Amino acid sequence: MPVNRQITLASLIHGNPTPEHFKLVESAMPSIEEGEFLVRNLYLSLEPAIRGWLEGKESYFPPIPIDGVIKGPTVGRVVESKNSQYQPGDIIFALNRWEDYSVVDESAILLEKLSPKEGIPLSYYVGPLGGSGTTAYCGLHEVGQIQAGQTVVVSAAAGATGSMVGQIAKQRGCRVIGFVGSDAKAKLITEEFGFDAAINYKTAPDLAAAVNELVPDGVDVYYDNVGGAILNAMLTTMKVYGRIVCCGMIADYNQTDNRNPITNLWEVVARQLTMQGFLQFTYHDKVPAALAELEGWIKSDKIKVVEDITEGLANTPQAFGRLMSGATTGKALVKVD
Amino acid sequence: MPVNRQITLASLIHGNPTPEHFKLVESAMPSIEEGEFLVRNLYLSLEPAIRGWLEGKESYFPPIPIDGVIKGPTVGRVVESKNSQYQPGDIIFALNRWEDYSVVDESAILLEKLSPKEGIPLSYYVGPLGGSGTTAYCGLHEVGQIQAGQTVVVSAAAGATGSMVGQIAKQRGCRVIGFVGSDAKAKLITEEFGFDAAINYKTAPDLAAAVNELVPDGVDVYYDNVGGAILNAMLTTMKVYGRIVCCGMIADYNQTDNRNPITNLWEVVARQLTMQGFLQFTYHDKVPAALAELEGWIKSDKIKVVEDITEGLANTPQAFGRLMSGATTGKALVKVD
């Protein structure tokens, strides 16, 4: 009898996640009701946002309880359906769970029926053509309101979202500077992803001075994935009427009881800045158009993709720990065996 | 021979301003060039923003140098003119200086030719019908985008701007809650200004809990005049898609080298908030319409005015120190003798 392997939460996490915080369990194969369909998960998207759901605190989602299955975006294939809109064989993206099989209905968050393009690996649809890509796309356009000729700075620039932010902004005619955590990543984003410059935040003696030297006239749009010290420095480098896209605050995710203090918010008044936070599901109606444009850029090699693929559902916890310690480059994902 | 009395900066200020930081000097009467006009200042508007110009730091204005005359908004009468648009007898509002006579031209920041209404004291035109009123009006509408039925929270609610914010929001059909620093101010804003509730931030044991109890569904718009601990608490009380109007950060003005840390910015992402800073001159084109509506509300007694008037230019430094220590209520201004 087939089983459904699942990764559950063994204990609430307060620092860096390790495999001990998770458990691999075998459950009975789920059955579906009218309106539902069963999805065989093929790729799991590992994302820093998941970290926020694992410490027992209410946020925009309820926290995952102990022994609850970890939630995360996946790409999967419909294998059984009692919903006329979804047929076996359909490929879908949605916020599912870390498991072999997920029961899905039309209310699933981020649900999208995919039409994978010839010549594009299916795994790309959890990353550059999944949440990372569409988040970057919507964040830059809907929140950042970028215009050609502007200067865009992005943090975690070698990561799944940051690398897409920089490359999309370049396609739009912006000048792009990325914060990264190693010289290897600095080389990657400038040589492979086409960023105009990189700043290694671990070795730069003064983050604001490093930006000011590259952008003496001030930054138009800062796409913030990290919060903390980089955000605090960036506040002092913005142009009047500049925009800060608040996408994530990775710097705090492993220490939410002791968050990095921000002391430069006065600049929001003095420089008349707009800081705007967003979650991708707010812009769900923009996803089809975003995907179409992103697929075109990827097929024509205008946007490059780097993946960090872990094989096997059982290795998901270890891969997630690597992501949250900053050890991965590009899109971190799991290929379900 | 007539002289021009002026208040100058005697030493850079790093804590609370005291009279020793200022000097009263007598200068020669200024003469005007083509295009300029001479204004006899009648009322000086005392505003916390001025504090930021007195510590030698670059900001949205260059700092006032030692021995420089202090800048500040005034209402005055044109007494001599070489500009065809301004005639002797005209009453104007502009960012002038703490002095008997100012030389003004059409590039003056915030310059507005006034048509004071019968039955409205001229002093109101530095406060509820000057920068405080138009800042509150533009901040609520242009930045806060308030709608009838929303809940608006404002800090420094018994102050010149805060008291106008609350009363304008009430006119627009909002529910309004104010943070104040004393029980007397709490009584004033609820009984005189018509706020729905007041929170004394000095005695409330938990600022966020106090708000949550009054607004269990979350706050739509927070109009922030203070920054610091109140802003940090408010971040955790906002509704999804809520807006924070960043008008000032008084809590930090006397300690800009050691600003209050903000640790709850994650809520900007999780609640998809917009924090937007502004300076009133950005909305200068909205002032005539704002003034017309504010004058109507004041004449019909729908908006109440409380003033804290100090007599005599020489007493300006002492009055400014009182403002910056939180000792004033309503609009702090100086009637020039």
Side-chain angles (χ1 to χ4, degrees):
Chain A
M1 182 157 169
V3 298
N4 188 25
R5 294 176 305 162
Q6 301 176 310
I7 307 285
T8 63
L9 186 63
S11 58
L12 298 181
I13 309 181
H14 294 290
N16 214 47
T18 64
E20 292 67 42
H21 290 111
F22 301 92
K23 214 159 38 182
L24 177 69
V25 302
E26 299 197 343
S27 304
M29 276 294 290
S31 59
I32 55 175
E33 310 280 328
E34 203 50 51
E36 296 178 338
F37 47 102
L38 189 67
V39 169
R40 168 61 169 148
N41 290 311
L42 302 171
Y43 294 100
L44 313 182
S45 174
L46 301 185
E47 306 186 357
I50 296 170
R51 175 63 183 78
W53 313 335
L54 307 181
E55 52 189 27
K57 286 185 189 152
E58 278 297 329
S59 183
Y60 56 95
F61 289 153
I64 293 172
I66 299 288
D67 291 332
V69 183
I70 311 300
K71 286 196 284 196
T74 77
V75 162
R77 181 183 294 114
V78 177
V79 291
E80 189 190 341
S81 178
K82 292 184 178 172
N83 182 312
S84 62
Q85 302 301 305
Y86 293 85
Q87 307 303 328
D90 284 351
I91 300 291
I92 65 112
F93 176 85
L95 181 65
N96 286 317
R97 308 198 292 182
W98 291 359
E99 60 192 357
D100 285 319
Y101 293 93
S102 294
V103 174
V104 185
D105 66 26
E106 289 182 76
S107 70
I109 292 170
L110 299 176
L111 176 62
E112 202 73 45
K113 193 192 289 189
L114 302 175
S115 308
K117 292 287 169 300
E118 279 273 343
I120 295 184
L122 188 57
S123 61
Y124 283 21
Y125 287 87
V126 290
L129 296 171
S132 319
T134 57
T135 297
Y137 190 99
C138 295
L140 280 172
H141 294 104
E142 305 300 323
V143 184
Q145 299 173 16
I146 53 165
Q147 310 282 338
Q150 291 186 324
T151 297
V152 175
V153 175
V154 57
S155 46
T161 302
S163 62
M164 292 300 289
V165 166
Q167 292 184 90
I168 295 167
K170 284 304 294 181
Q171 290 302 316
R172 287 280 178 256
C174 297
R175 183 170 175 233
V176 180
I177 293 158
F179 277 103
V180 291
S182 74
D183 290 343
K185 288 178 177 177
K187 195 171 146 79
L188 175 76
I189 68 168
T190 51
E191 296 187 2
E192 186 75 7
F193 295 148
F195 283 55
D196 296 286
I199 299 169
N200 181 342
Y201 77 91
K202 290 186 179 166
T203 55
D206 180 327
L207 301 179
V211 174
N212 288 334
E213 195 173 314
L214 291 164
V215 198
D217 292 343
V219 172
D220 296 281
V221 175
Y222 170 48
Y223 192 109
D224 186 26
N225 290 310
V226 303
I230 296 179
L231 171 58
N232 209 33
M234 284 305 302
L235 283 162
T236 70
T237 70
M238 301 298 294
K239 208 174 265 184
V240 171
Y241 305 129
R243 301 182 69 85
I244 298 180
V245 180
C246 298
C247 178
M249 300 206 170
I250 308 176
D252 288 332
Y253 291 173
N254 288 334
Q255 52 176 68
T256 56
D257 293 331
N258 179 30
R259 296 201 183 103
N260 290 282
I262 302 294
T263 54
N264 289 331
L265 276 186
W266 164 246
E267 301 299 337
V268 173
V269 180
R271 294 170 195 254
Q272 306 192 63
L273 307 179
T274 298
M275 290 183 70
Q276 187 176 344
F278 79 109
L279 298 169
Q280 177 53 18
F281 55 74
T282 290
Y283 299 105
H284 195 53
D285 64 324
K286 309 287 182 191
V287 167
L291 279 186
E293 191 158 25
L294 291 169
E295 284 173 331
W297 283 330
I298 287 174
K299 283 202 75 149
S300 60
D301 214 30
K302 287 182 177 154
I303 282 189
K304 302 282 204 318
V305 175
V306 170
E307 294 179 299
D308 184 311
I309 303 183
T310 296
E311 302 265 346
L313 180 70
N315 295 319
T316 308
Q318 168 265 333
F320 186 64
R322 284 178 56 238
L323 171 71
M324 290 310 300
S325 69
T328 61
T329 299
K331 178 62 196 175
L333 63 103
V334 171
K335 184 172 194 295
V336 181
D337 46 321
Chain B
M1 181 158 171
V3 297
N4 188 25
R5 295 175 305 160
Q6 302 177 308
I7 308 285
T8 63
L9 186 63
S11 58
L12 298 181
I13 309 181
H14 294 290
N16 214 46
T18 63
E20 291 68 40
H21 291 111
F22 301 91
K23 213 160 38 184
L24 177 70
V25 302
E26 299 198 340
S27 305
M29 275 295 288
S31 59
I32 55 176
E33 309 282 324
E34 203 50 50
E36 296 178 338
F37 48 102
L38 189 67
V39 169
R40 168 60 170 151
N41 291 311
L42 303 171
Y43 294 100
L44 312 183
S45 175
L46 302 184
E47 307 186 359
I50 296 169
R51 174 64 182 79
W53 313 334
L54 307 180
E55 51 189 29
K57 287 187 189 151
E58 276 299 328
S59 184
Y60 56 95
F61 288 152
I64 292 172
I66 300 286
D67 291 332
V69 183
I70 311 299
K71 286 196 284 196
T74 76
V75 162
R77 181 182 294 114
V78 177
V79 292
E80 189 189 342
S81 178
K82 293 185 178 173
N83 181 313
S84 61
Q85 302 300 307
Y86 292 84
Q87 308 302 329
D90 284 351
I91 301 290
I92 64 112
F93 176 85
L95 181 65
N96 285 318
R97 305 197 294 184
W98 291 359
E99 59 191 358
D100 285 319
Y101 294 93
S102 294
V103 175
V104 185
D105 66 28
E106 289 181 77
S107 72
I109 292 171
L110 300 175
L111 175 62
E112 202 74 43
K113 195 192 289 190
L114 302 175
S115 309
K117 292 285 170 300
E118 279 273 343
I120 295 185
L122 189 57
S123 61
Y124 283 19
Y125 288 88
V126 289
L129 297 171
S132 318
T134 57
T135 297
Y137 189 99
C138 294
L140 281 172
H141 294 105
E142 305 300 324
V143 184
Q145 299 173 15
I146 53 164
Q147 310 282 337
Q150 291 186 325
T151 297
V152 175
V153 175
V154 56
S155 46
T161 302
S163 63
M164 292 300 288
V165 167
Q167 293 185 89
I168 295 167
K170 285 304 294 180
Q171 290 301 317
R172 286 279 178 258
C174 297
R175 185 171 174 232
V176 180
I177 294 159
F179 277 102
V180 291
S182 75
D183 290 343
K185 289 179 178 177
K187 195 170 144 77
L188 175 76
I189 69 168
T190 51
E191 296 185 3
E192 186 74 9
F193 295 148
F195 282 56
D196 296 285
I199 299 169
N200 181 342
Y201 76 90
K202 289 185 179 165
T203 56
D206 180 328
L207 301 179
V211 175
N212 287 334
E213 194 173 314
L214 292 164
V215 198
D217 293 343
V219 173
D220 295 283
V221 175
Y222 171 48
Y223 192 110
D224 187 25
N225 289 312
V226 304
I230 296 179
L231 171 59
N232 209 33
M234 284 305 303
L235 282 162
T236 71
T237 71
M238 301 297 293
K239 207 174 268 185
V240 171
Y241 306 128
R243 300 183 69 86
I244 299 180
V245 180
C246 298
C247 179
M249 300 207 172
I250 308 175
D252 289 331
Y253 290 174
N254 287 334
Q255 52 176 67
T256 56
D257 293 332
N258 180 30
R259 295 200 182 103
N260 290 282
I262 302 294
T263 54
N264 290 330
L265 276 186
W266 164 245
E267 302 298 339
V268 172
V269 180
R271 295 170 194 253
Q272 305 192 63
L273 307 178
T274 299
M275 291 182 69
Q276 187 175 343
F278 78 109
L279 298 169
Q280 176 54 17
F281 56 73
T282 290
Y283 299 105
H284 194 52
D285 64 325
K286 309 286 182 191
V287 166
L291 278 184
E293 191 159 25
L294 291 169
E295 284 173 332
W297 283 329
I298 288 174
K299 281 203 76 149
S300 60
D301 214 30
K302 287 182 177 154
I303 282 189
K304 304 280 206 313
V305 175
V306 171
E307 294 179 299
D308 184 312
I309 303 183
T310 297
E311 302 265 346
L313 180 70
N315 296 319
T316 307
Q318 168 267 332
F320 186 64
R322 283 179 58 239
L323 171 71
M324 289 310 299
S325 68
T328 60
T329 300
K331 179 61 198 177
L333 62 102
V334 172
K335 185 172 194 293
V336 182
D337 45 318

